Structures are given as C-alpha cells and as structure tokens.
Amino acid sequence: MSNAAPRPSVLFVCVHNAGRSQMGAAFLTHLAGDAVEVRSAGSAPADAVNPAVVEAMKEVGIDISAETPKILTTEAVQSSDVVITMGCGDTCPVFPGKRYLDWRLDDPAGQGVDAVRPIRDEIERRVRALLAEFGIPAASA
C-alpha cells in the first residue's frame, strides 16, 4: 500500500464539449499519463468533436478523433477536485469545496484549423502550468 497522495481529478467543461474541453482533456491525459484522472463534458454537448480541433490536435501528435462529446453531470463535477470551465458561464453547476478555474478562451466552433491553433497552444500552456502546480512532471511531447 503506497502513501502517495490520491491522484487529482480534473474536469474540463465547455458548452458543446466539442473543442476547448476536449483539447484540455487530451493535453492533460497526454502530458500527465495516469497521474491525473481526466474528464470532459459539456452543458449542451454537440453531436461530434469539431473537425478543426481534431486536425489541430493531430498536428501536435494527439489523436482525439475517437472522442465523443459527453453531457455534463452533477456526478462528474462532484467527483472532480478541479473543475475548469471554458466559456460555459452560468450553465456550469457550482459545488462548495471544489476548485474552479475559468479559462476564458475563444470558442473554436465554426473556425478553421488556423484559428484553432492559438487556442490549442494556450490550452497546452495552461495545462502544463496546472501540472506544475500539482507537482506532476509533464511527459515530454
């Protein structure tokens, strides 16, 4: 039995769970491996992940083509240590005792891959900063 701290759990939330939250979850999974439990969801999930987002992530070696947008549930929020909201405003439920981070980022919906790249790069930067805060070394890309 190890005395390691329980692994932190992070939930990324945006309205459609088709762009920003998918990128956040993919970067955190990619960089943290099993050190962090990662979820993503949307308050009004789209039918599919934004193809420009899939393409932009593929450019950095992360394949999210098999991901599907998921509905945000109360359980997902309650079982997460950190909830990162990305432009969902008042539609994201708030629970006491949870740490909330609001990452204000442009919405990639309807944008081409050129517009998605800077959003992707900013999400990666913030995910790396979050890992550093957790004291978890990021895997090399």
Side-chain angles (χ1 to χ4, degrees):
M1 200 91 178
S2 92
N3 291 336
R7 67 187 186 144
S9 151
V10 177
L11 171 66
F12 290 91
V13 182
C14 65
V15 176
H16 301 301
N17 190 219
R20 294 164 291 187
S21 55
Q22 290 283 353
M23 288 190 281
F27 271 123
L28 188 53
T29 300
H30 181 73
L31 294 169
D34 293 338
V36 179
E37 188 179 347
V38 181
R39 297 183 188 85
S40 73
S43 51
D47 294 331
V49 174
N50 178 333
V53 167
V54 172
E55 185 59 35
M57 292 302 285
K58 200 173 281 177
E59 290 177 356
V60 294
I62 301 174
D63 181 5
I64 61 168
S65 59
E67 295 297 326
T68 53
K70 294 171 271 312
I71 186 74
L72 177 64
T73 63
T74 301
E75 295 76 27
V77 177
Q78 287 175 321
S79 57
S80 300
D81 301 314
V82 179
V83 179
I84 298 174
T85 57
M86 299 168 150
C88 57
D90 297 335
T91 59
C92 296
V94 175
F95 293 97
K98 299 293 168 193
R99 178 172 173 210
Y100 288 86
L101 299 174
D102 186 30
W103 290 2
R104 294 178 187 277
L105 299 156
D106 291 337
D107 187 347
Q111 306 284 331
V113 75
D114 287 345
V116 173
R117 282 186 195 109
I119 302 168
R120 173 200 68 200
D121 295 346
E122 177 61 15
I123 290 172
E124 180 181 11
R125 189 189 68 71
R126 292 181 188 200
V127 165
R128 286 180 179 279
L130 184 67
L131 278 174
E133 217 177 277
F134 285 152
I136 296 171
S140 52

